[in-house]
Amino acid sequence: MKPIISPWLIYFASRADSLKILAGCILVCCIIAICIAYMEGDIDYGSVLTHKSFMKKCAIVSVISAVALAVTPSAETIYTMAAVKEITPDNIQAIGKTGKDVIDYITDQIDKVVNDKEENKK
């Protein structure tokens, strides 16, 4: 029997929150680096231009990090998306709940299985 959700999807879903944290940290560090590079240069003498390429690189990394932060879904969203493709109207009627209740139940069960496995490793 084929599993509803691939074990690889569960693994990558558990790493999605870490990716968001990493992207946020990189974004904050780049913004701080840009501010320091700008303050270190003296506008009157044009020495800000010496840090221009560094600031440009930090700005590019900041934009990429901000986009990654914005488009990376949470683990719960990934589980929901994976479960939704397997749910049909007949399944929902058989259970007798709304679609949202079914998705919440499935997501809770997946989290329970994943958390039980993590606790057993400790």
Side-chain angles (χ1 to χ4, degrees):
M1 185 161 76
K2 182 185 125 198
I4 293 175
I5 297 178
S6 166
W8 284 106
L9 182 65
I10 292 172
Y11 171 76
F12 288 118
S14 67
R15 300 293 174 241
D17 293 329
S18 299
L19 181 63
K20 287 184 85 135
I21 292 170
L22 178 65
C25 290
I26 291 172
L27 178 64
V28 169
C29 289
C30 284
I31 290 173
I32 291 171
I34 289 171
C35 291
I36 290 172
Y38 184 77
M39 288 188 306
E40 190 172 299
D42 190 358
I43 296 173
D44 295 334
Y45 296 106
S47 64
V48 172
L49 298 177
T50 60
H51 301 295
K52 187 176 182 178
S53 67
F54 173 74
M55 291 169 63
K56 185 186 274 188
K57 290 175 187 174
C58 283
I60 291 170
V61 171
S62 295
V63 169
I64 292 170
S65 295
V67 169
L69 188 62
V71 300
T72 304
S74 68
E76 184 176 340
T77 302
I78 293 172
Y79 294 144
T80 303
M81 289 169 32
V84 164
K85 79 174 187 182
E86 300 295 330
I87 294 176
T88 63
D90 296 333
N91 294 345
I92 294 172
Q93 288 176 356
I95 295 174
K97 295 182 178 181
T98 65
K100 178 72 173 144
D101 292 338
V102 173
I103 295 296
D104 289 342
Y105 175 76
I106 291 171
T107 303
D108 291 342
Q109 294 304 313
I110 292 170
D111 285 339
K112 185 177 173 183
V113 169
V114 170
N115 289 337
D116 286 344
K117 287 180 181 179
E118 288 177 1
E119 288 177 5
N120 290 338
K121 290 180 183 178
K122 292 180 184 178

